[in-house]
Amino acid sequence: MDRGTQFIGQSGPFLDAVERASRAAALRRPVLVVGERGTGKELIAERLHRLSPRWGEPLITLNCAALPETLIEAELFGHEAGAFTGATRARAGRFEEADRGTLFLDELATLSAGAQERLLRAIEYGEVARIGSSKPIRVDVRIVAATNEDLPRLADQGRFRADLLDRLSFEVITLPPLRAREGDVAVLADYFGRRMATEIGWPGWPGFSATAAAQLEAYQWPGNVRELRNVIERAVYRWDTPRQPIARIEFDPFQSPWRPPVLEGGVEARAESDAPVIGKAVAAAANGSDHGAVNDLRAAVDAHEKAILEFHLARHRYNQRATAKALGLSYDQLRHCLRKHGLLEKTAG
Protein backbone atom coordinates (compact mmCIF):
# COMPACT_ATOMS: atom_id res chain seq x y z
CA MET A 1 0.00 0.00 0.00
CA ASP A 2 1.31 3.43 -0.92
CA ARG A 3 2.01 5.24 2.36
CA GLY A 4 1.40 8.68 0.91
CA THR A 5 -1.77 8.57 -1.16
CA GLN A 6 -4.32 6.51 0.77
CA PHE A 7 -7.70 8.10 1.50
CA ILE A 8 -9.13 6.31 4.51
CA GLY A 9 -12.45 7.29 6.05
CA GLN A 10 -16.18 6.79 5.95
CA SER A 11 -17.65 9.82 7.73
CA GLY A 12 -19.95 12.17 5.88
CA PRO A 13 -17.83 15.35 6.24
CA PHE A 14 -14.73 13.55 5.00
CA LEU A 15 -16.45 11.97 2.00
CA ASP A 16 -18.06 15.31 1.09
CA ALA A 17 -14.63 16.97 0.95
CA VAL A 18 -13.18 14.16 -1.18
CA GLU A 19 -16.17 14.31 -3.53
CA ARG A 20 -15.82 18.06 -3.92
CA ALA A 21 -12.15 17.62 -4.82
CA SER A 22 -13.03 14.95 -7.38
CA ARG A 23 -15.56 17.23 -9.07
CA ALA A 24 -13.16 20.20 -9.16
CA ALA A 25 -10.29 18.13 -10.55
CA ALA A 26 -11.46 18.30 -14.17
CA LEU A 27 -11.31 22.10 -14.25
CA ARG A 28 -8.22 24.23 -14.72
CA ARG A 29 -9.44 26.84 -12.21
CA PRO A 30 -7.54 27.50 -8.96
CA VAL A 31 -8.57 25.59 -5.85
CA LEU A 32 -7.94 26.62 -2.26
CA VAL A 33 -7.61 23.80 0.29
CA VAL A 34 -8.18 24.83 3.91
CA GLY A 35 -7.68 22.71 6.98
CA GLU A 36 -5.86 22.23 10.25
CA ARG A 37 -2.42 20.66 10.26
CA GLY A 38 -2.46 16.94 9.56
CA THR A 39 -5.88 16.87 7.87
CA GLY A 40 -4.55 15.80 4.47
CA LYS A 41 -4.27 18.98 2.40
CA GLU A 42 -1.37 17.52 0.41
CA LEU A 43 -3.42 14.42 -0.43
CA ILE A 44 -6.29 16.56 -1.71
CA ALA A 45 -3.85 18.53 -3.89
CA GLU A 46 -2.51 15.29 -5.35
CA ARG A 47 -6.06 14.05 -5.97
CA LEU A 48 -6.91 17.27 -7.80
CA HIS A 49 -3.90 16.72 -10.05
CA ARG A 50 -4.21 12.96 -10.65
CA LEU A 51 -7.89 13.14 -11.59
CA SER A 52 -7.38 16.10 -13.91
CA PRO A 53 -6.47 16.10 -17.62
CA ARG A 54 -3.01 17.20 -16.43
CA TRP A 55 -2.33 13.92 -14.61
CA GLY A 56 0.59 13.04 -16.92
CA GLU A 57 2.28 16.41 -16.46
CA PRO A 58 4.36 17.65 -13.48
CA LEU A 59 2.93 18.23 -10.02
CA ILE A 60 5.30 20.76 -8.47
CA THR A 61 5.11 21.51 -4.74
CA LEU A 62 6.44 24.56 -2.92
CA ASN A 63 6.14 25.05 0.83
CA CYS A 64 5.97 28.82 1.10
CA ALA A 65 6.92 28.76 4.79
CA ALA A 66 10.12 26.81 4.21
CA LEU A 67 11.98 29.63 2.46
CA PRO A 68 12.97 33.10 3.64
CA GLU A 69 11.17 36.06 2.14
CA THR A 70 14.26 37.01 0.14
CA LEU A 71 14.24 33.69 -1.76
CA ILE A 72 10.57 32.88 -2.22
CA GLU A 73 10.15 35.00 -5.36
CA ALA A 74 13.25 33.49 -6.95
CA GLU A 75 11.89 30.00 -6.20
CA LEU A 76 8.50 30.81 -7.70
CA PHE A 77 9.54 32.78 -10.78
CA GLY A 78 13.20 31.90 -11.33
CA HIS A 79 16.09 34.29 -11.93
CA GLU A 80 18.69 35.25 -14.48
CA ALA A 81 22.42 35.01 -13.93
CA GLY A 82 23.67 37.97 -11.92
CA ALA A 83 20.18 39.00 -10.79
CA PHE A 84 21.38 39.06 -7.18
CA THR A 85 24.38 38.04 -5.12
CA GLY A 86 25.02 34.33 -5.55
CA ALA A 87 22.98 33.97 -8.74
CA THR A 88 25.84 32.63 -10.86
CA ARG A 89 23.59 31.06 -13.48
CA ALA A 90 20.02 31.32 -14.72
CA ARG A 91 17.43 29.13 -13.05
CA ALA A 92 13.84 28.31 -13.93
CA GLY A 93 11.23 28.88 -11.23
CA ARG A 94 8.50 26.58 -10.01
CA PHE A 95 6.00 28.14 -12.43
CA GLU A 96 8.13 27.14 -15.42
CA GLU A 97 8.73 23.67 -13.97
CA ALA A 98 4.96 23.19 -13.56
CA ASP A 99 4.11 24.33 -17.10
CA ARG A 100 1.09 22.31 -18.40
CA GLY A 101 0.82 20.73 -14.95
CA THR A 102 -0.14 21.74 -11.42
CA LEU A 103 1.62 23.98 -8.92
CA PHE A 104 0.79 23.26 -5.28
CA LEU A 105 1.53 26.17 -2.93
CA ASP A 106 1.47 24.99 0.67
CA GLU A 107 1.33 27.43 3.62
CA LEU A 108 0.03 30.12 1.26
CA ALA A 109 -0.62 32.67 4.04
CA THR A 110 3.12 33.05 4.67
CA LEU A 111 3.79 34.62 1.25
CA SER A 112 5.28 38.11 1.39
CA ALA A 113 3.39 41.10 -0.05
CA GLY A 114 5.76 41.24 -3.04
CA ALA A 115 5.33 37.55 -3.81
CA GLN A 116 1.55 37.90 -3.52
CA GLU A 117 1.56 40.70 -6.08
CA ARG A 118 3.65 38.74 -8.58
CA LEU A 119 1.55 35.62 -8.00
CA LEU A 120 -1.58 37.64 -8.74
CA ARG A 121 -0.17 38.77 -12.10
CA ALA A 122 0.94 35.24 -12.96
CA ILE A 123 -2.55 33.87 -12.32
CA GLU A 124 -4.32 36.72 -14.10
CA TYR A 125 -2.18 36.90 -17.25
CA GLY A 126 -0.55 33.47 -17.40
CA GLU A 127 2.89 35.04 -17.61
CA VAL A 128 5.92 35.11 -15.34
CA ALA A 129 9.17 37.01 -15.55
CA ARG A 130 12.38 35.76 -14.01
CA ILE A 131 14.05 38.09 -11.52
CA GLY A 132 16.52 40.22 -13.48
CA SER A 133 14.61 39.85 -16.76
CA SER A 134 11.95 41.99 -18.35
CA LYS A 135 10.94 39.30 -20.85
CA PRO A 136 7.71 37.52 -19.82
CA ILE A 137 7.38 33.76 -20.20
CA ARG A 138 4.01 32.20 -21.02
CA VAL A 139 3.02 29.36 -18.70
CA ASP A 140 -0.03 27.12 -18.45
CA VAL A 141 -0.26 26.23 -14.77
CA ARG A 142 -3.15 25.10 -12.59
CA ILE A 143 -2.80 26.54 -9.06
CA VAL A 144 -3.75 24.58 -5.96
CA ALA A 145 -3.01 26.39 -2.70
CA ALA A 146 -3.35 25.27 0.90
CA THR A 147 -3.46 27.02 4.24
CA ASN A 148 -4.49 26.52 7.84
CA GLU A 149 -5.19 30.23 8.27
CA ASP A 150 -8.44 32.21 7.97
CA LEU A 151 -7.57 34.03 4.74
CA PRO A 152 -10.73 36.23 4.61
CA ARG A 153 -9.87 37.51 8.09
CA LEU A 154 -6.26 38.14 7.05
CA ALA A 155 -7.53 40.02 4.00
CA ASP A 156 -9.75 42.19 6.21
CA GLN A 157 -6.70 42.96 8.34
CA GLY A 158 -4.63 43.89 5.28
CA ARG A 159 -2.25 40.96 5.75
CA PHE A 160 -3.32 39.14 2.57
CA ARG A 161 -4.31 40.63 -0.77
CA ALA A 162 -8.08 40.52 -1.20
CA ASP A 163 -7.80 40.48 -5.01
CA LEU A 164 -5.46 37.48 -4.87
CA LEU A 165 -7.87 35.71 -2.54
CA ASP A 166 -10.69 36.36 -5.03
CA ARG A 167 -8.74 34.69 -7.83
CA LEU A 168 -7.68 31.68 -5.77
CA SER A 169 -11.05 30.92 -4.24
CA PHE A 170 -13.00 29.72 -7.27
CA GLU A 171 -13.42 26.54 -5.25
CA VAL A 172 -12.60 26.22 -1.55
CA ILE A 173 -12.34 22.74 -0.05
CA THR A 174 -12.34 22.83 3.74
CA LEU A 175 -11.17 19.57 5.29
CA PRO A 176 -12.86 18.50 8.53
CA PRO A 177 -10.65 17.88 11.57
CA LEU A 178 -10.41 14.30 12.74
CA ARG A 179 -12.46 15.02 15.88
CA ALA A 180 -15.40 15.90 13.59
CA ARG A 181 -15.12 12.70 11.51
CA GLU A 182 -17.41 10.37 13.43
CA GLY A 183 -16.30 6.75 13.19
CA ASP A 184 -13.09 7.46 11.27
CA VAL A 185 -10.70 7.17 14.22
CA ALA A 186 -11.37 3.44 14.55
CA VAL A 187 -11.07 2.89 10.80
CA LEU A 188 -7.81 4.83 10.55
CA ALA A 189 -6.36 3.22 13.68
CA ASP A 190 -7.05 -0.24 12.28
CA TYR A 191 -5.51 0.68 8.92
CA PHE A 192 -2.33 2.21 10.39
CA GLY A 193 -2.06 -0.59 12.94
CA ARG A 194 -2.28 -3.37 10.35
CA ARG A 195 0.24 -1.63 8.15
CA MET A 196 2.74 -1.22 10.99
CA ALA A 197 2.22 -4.81 12.15
CA THR A 198 3.07 -6.02 8.65
CA GLU A 199 6.10 -3.76 8.51
CA ILE A 200 7.64 -5.18 11.70
CA GLY A 201 6.77 -8.78 10.84
CA TRP A 202 3.91 -9.64 13.20
CA PRO A 203 2.16 -12.92 12.38
CA GLY A 204 -1.27 -11.28 12.54
CA TRP A 205 -3.18 -8.25 13.70
CA PRO A 206 -4.53 -8.47 17.29
CA GLY A 207 -6.35 -5.12 17.24
CA PHE A 208 -6.80 -2.85 20.24
CA SER A 209 -8.26 -3.58 23.65
CA ALA A 210 -11.61 -2.01 24.53
CA THR A 211 -9.89 0.45 26.87
CA ALA A 212 -7.32 1.50 24.27
CA ALA A 213 -10.02 1.92 21.62
CA ALA A 214 -12.03 4.12 24.01
CA GLN A 215 -8.95 6.25 24.67
CA LEU A 216 -8.43 6.75 20.95
CA GLU A 217 -12.04 7.82 20.46
CA ALA A 218 -11.99 10.23 23.42
CA TYR A 219 -8.80 12.04 22.41
CA GLN A 220 -9.23 15.36 20.54
CA TRP A 221 -6.37 14.87 18.03
CA PRO A 222 -4.92 18.37 17.65
CA GLY A 223 -2.49 16.95 15.05
CA ASN A 224 -5.31 15.13 13.24
CA VAL A 225 -4.53 12.16 10.97
CA ARG A 226 -0.78 12.76 11.01
CA GLU A 227 -0.77 12.61 14.81
CA LEU A 228 -3.04 9.55 14.83
CA ARG A 229 -0.70 7.69 12.51
CA ASN A 230 2.29 8.41 14.76
CA VAL A 231 0.39 7.35 17.91
CA ILE A 232 -0.79 4.08 16.36
CA GLU A 233 2.53 3.12 14.80
CA ARG A 234 4.33 3.90 18.05
CA ALA A 235 1.86 1.81 20.05
CA VAL A 236 2.30 -1.16 17.72
CA TYR A 237 6.07 -1.24 17.64
CA ARG A 238 6.34 -0.80 21.44
CA TRP A 239 3.89 -3.63 22.15
CA ASP A 240 5.76 -6.78 23.16
CA THR A 241 2.96 -9.37 22.89
CA PRO A 242 1.73 -9.31 19.29
CA ARG A 243 -0.79 -12.10 19.89
CA GLN A 244 -2.70 -10.00 22.45
CA PRO A 245 -4.72 -6.83 21.74
CA ILE A 246 -2.72 -3.64 22.16
CA ALA A 247 -3.66 -2.14 25.53
CA ARG A 248 -1.19 0.71 25.96
CA ILE A 249 -1.49 4.02 24.11
CA GLU A 250 0.93 6.91 24.56
CA PHE A 251 -0.32 10.17 23.10
CA ASP A 252 2.61 12.39 24.11
CA PRO A 253 6.00 10.91 23.15
CA PHE A 254 7.75 13.67 25.09
CA GLN A 255 6.20 12.64 28.39
CA SER A 256 9.04 11.56 30.68
CA PRO A 257 10.20 12.04 34.26
CA TRP A 258 13.46 13.29 32.72
CA ARG A 259 11.79 15.94 30.60
CA PRO A 260 13.69 19.25 30.96
CA PRO A 261 11.91 21.67 33.29
CA VAL A 262 10.54 24.94 31.93
CA LEU A 263 11.41 28.25 33.51
CA GLU A 264 9.03 31.18 33.76
CA GLY A 265 8.42 32.59 30.29
CA GLY A 266 8.73 29.20 28.58
CA VAL A 267 12.53 29.03 28.42
CA GLU A 268 13.96 25.59 29.05
CA ALA A 269 16.32 25.19 31.96
CA ARG A 270 19.56 23.94 30.47
CA ALA A 271 22.83 23.35 32.26
CA GLU A 272 25.55 25.59 30.84
CA SER A 273 29.23 25.57 31.59
CA ASP A 274 29.23 29.15 32.85
CA ALA A 275 26.01 28.93 34.91
CA PRO A 276 25.77 26.40 37.78
CA VAL A 277 22.51 24.45 37.77
CA ILE A 278 21.78 25.12 41.43
CA GLY A 279 22.09 28.87 40.95
CA LYS A 280 19.69 28.83 37.97
CA ALA A 281 17.18 26.63 39.75
CA VAL A 282 17.21 28.83 42.87
CA ALA A 283 16.70 31.94 40.73
CA ALA A 284 13.80 30.30 38.89
CA ALA A 285 12.15 29.28 42.16
CA ALA A 286 12.70 32.73 43.63
CA ASN A 287 10.95 34.36 40.67
CA GLY A 288 7.91 32.09 40.96
CA SER A 289 7.58 31.63 44.73
CA ASP A 290 5.06 33.19 47.07
CA HIS A 291 7.51 34.95 49.36
CA GLY A 292 4.77 36.17 51.66
CA ALA A 293 3.97 32.61 52.67
CA VAL A 294 7.52 31.97 53.95
CA ASN A 295 7.71 32.29 57.77
CA ASP A 296 10.80 30.13 58.29
CA LEU A 297 13.62 31.07 55.93
CA ARG A 298 15.98 28.25 56.93
CA ALA A 299 13.29 25.57 56.51
CA ALA A 300 12.25 27.01 53.14
CA VAL A 301 15.84 27.03 51.86
CA ASP A 302 16.44 23.49 53.14
CA ALA A 303 13.23 22.24 51.48
CA HIS A 304 14.20 23.81 48.19
CA GLU A 305 17.73 22.39 48.35
CA LYS A 306 16.33 18.93 49.03
CA ALA A 307 13.94 19.20 46.08
CA ILE A 308 16.83 20.11 43.76
CA LEU A 309 18.88 17.15 45.00
CA GLU A 310 15.98 14.73 44.57
CA PHE A 311 15.31 15.99 41.05
CA HIS A 312 18.90 15.60 39.85
CA LEU A 313 19.37 12.27 41.60
CA ALA A 314 16.39 10.89 39.74
CA ARG A 315 17.52 12.49 36.50
CA HIS A 316 20.92 10.75 36.77
CA ARG A 317 19.47 7.45 38.00
CA TYR A 318 20.88 8.00 41.50
CA ASN A 319 24.45 8.02 40.23
CA GLN A 320 26.13 10.24 42.81
CA ARG A 321 29.17 11.18 40.75
CA ALA A 322 27.05 12.18 37.75
CA THR A 323 24.73 14.15 40.03
CA ALA A 324 27.64 15.95 41.67
CA LYS A 325 29.06 16.91 38.26
CA ALA A 326 25.69 18.21 37.07
CA LEU A 327 25.30 20.38 40.18
CA GLY A 328 28.85 21.74 40.16
CA LEU A 329 29.76 20.01 43.43
CA SER A 330 32.57 17.73 44.46
CA TYR A 331 31.67 14.16 45.36
CA ASP A 332 32.29 14.88 49.07
CA GLN A 333 30.15 18.03 48.97
CA LEU A 334 27.27 16.10 47.43
CA ARG A 335 27.58 13.35 50.05
CA HIS A 336 27.43 15.96 52.77
CA CYS A 337 24.24 17.44 51.29
CA LEU A 338 22.65 14.02 50.91
CA ARG A 339 23.46 13.14 54.49
CA LYS A 340 22.06 16.47 55.66
CA HIS A 341 18.70 15.80 53.98
CA GLY A 342 18.51 12.08 54.76
CA LEU A 343 18.93 11.01 51.15
CA LEU A 344 21.96 8.74 51.44
CA GLU A 345 19.88 5.66 52.16
CA LYS A 346 17.68 6.40 49.16
CA THR A 347 20.65 6.58 46.81
CA ALA A 348 22.10 3.40 48.27
CA GLY A 349 18.81 1.61 47.62
Side-chain angles (χ1 to χ4, degrees):
M1 291 179 290
D2 189 340
R3 295 181 68 90
T5 58
Q6 293 293 318
F7 271 98
I8 307 297
Q10 60 185 13
S11 66
F14 170 74
L15 294 178
D16 287 345
V18 173
E19 173 62 22
R20 180 172 290 189
S22 301
R23 294 188 62 182
L27 306 177
R28 68 178 305 272
R29 303 289 183 86
V31 175
L32 188 58
V33 185
V34 180
E36 297 178 7
R37 62 187 175 96
T39 49
K41 297 186 290 292
E42 301 91 343
L43 294 181
I44 290 293
E46 184 166 354
R47 187 176 187 84
L48 286 164
H49 177 72
R50 299 302 177 198
L51 296 183
S52 76
R54 300 167 181 260
W55 64 271
E57 301 297 337
L59 169 62
I60 304 298
T61 298
L62 176 64
N63 186 329
C64 301
L67 294 170
E69 183 177 334
T70 53
L71 294 180
I72 190 69
E73 292 187 52
E75 281 293 320
L76 275 173
F77 308 109
H79 60 78
E80 296 293 347
F84 51 83
T85 303
T88 57
R89 57 187 179 86
R91 182 182 182 280
R94 301 298 175 93
F95 263 94
E96 291 181 65
E97 293 175 358
D99 189 28
R100 295 181 296 177
T102 302
L103 176 60
F104 174 48
L105 301 176
D106 200 6
E107 303 288 351
L108 178 72
T110 63
L111 277 181
S112 66
Q116 289 181 36
E117 182 176 359
R118 295 194 63 172
L119 177 60
L120 175 64
R121 289 188 58 84
I123 295 173
E124 188 167 0
Y125 299 110
E127 293 181 345
V128 296
R130 294 180 181 179
I131 296 175
S133 172
S134 58
K135 180 181 178 181
I137 302 171
R138 295 288 301 178
V139 290
D140 175 16
V141 175
R142 201 262 183 94
I143 300 291
V144 178
T147 183
N148 57 7
E149 299 277 359
D150 185 346
L151 290 184
R153 180 176 59 83
L154 295 184
D156 290 341
Q157 296 173 352
R159 296 163 55 193
F160 194 86
R161 292 188 64 115
D163 46 1
L164 176 59
L165 181 59
D166 290 340
R167 284 165 175 78
L168 290 174
S169 57
F170 166 78
E171 178 64 286
V172 179
I173 301 172
T174 302
L175 299 179
L178 185 56
R179 59 185 174 276
R181 294 169 53 176
E182 185 177 356
D184 281 357
V185 169
V187 174
L188 285 161
D190 185 75
Y191 168 73
F192 291 130
R194 288 178 182 275
R195 192 175 68 179
M196 188 64 181
T198 301
E199 183 176 327
I200 61 179
W202 280 11
W205 171 236
F208 295 94
S209 70
T211 301
Q215 289 177 325
L216 292 172
E217 289 289 349
Y219 188 63
Q220 288 299 297
W221 302 110
N224 292 291
V225 179
R226 186 182 297 122
E227 181 185 12
L228 171 65
R229 184 186 66 197
N230 286 337
V231 168
I232 297 302
E233 292 181 348
R234 184 166 57 243
V236 173
Y237 106 87
R238 288 183 177 180
W239 190 242
D240 295 327
T241 53
R243 297 189 184 278
Q244 297 180 11
I246 297 170
R248 186 171 61 248
I249 302 292
E250 183 181 277
F251 294 99
D252 183 3
F254 294 96
Q255 188 62 42
S256 169
W258 323 120
R259 188 172 184 171
V262 178
L263 297 177
E264 187 175 353
V267 181
E268 288 185 0
R270 293 185 176 90
E272 299 177 4
S273 57
D274 59 346
V277 173
I278 285 183
K280 292 181 5 179
V282 169
N287 289 334
S289 299
D290 182 3
H291 305 304
V294 176
N295 53 22
D296 187 334
L297 178 61
R298 187 176 299 279
V301 172
D302 286 347
H304 186 60
E305 185 178 81
K306 182 178 181 181
I308 294 173
L309 290 168
E310 289 178 326
F311 172 82
H312 282 280
L313 282 169
R315 191 175 196 180
H316 295 90
R317 300 186 180 183
Y318 297 93
N319 183 307
Q320 294 182 21
R321 294 195 182 278
T323 302
K325 182 178 179 180
L327 292 174
L329 300 174
S330 69
Y331 178 72
D332 291 336
Q333 287 173 329
L334 177 67
R335 296 275 298 181
H336 173 76
C337 290
L338 296 177
R339 187 178 295 109
K340 172 184 173 182
H341 296 291
L343 298 174
L344 270 179
E345 292 184 2
K346 188 174 183 179
T347 57

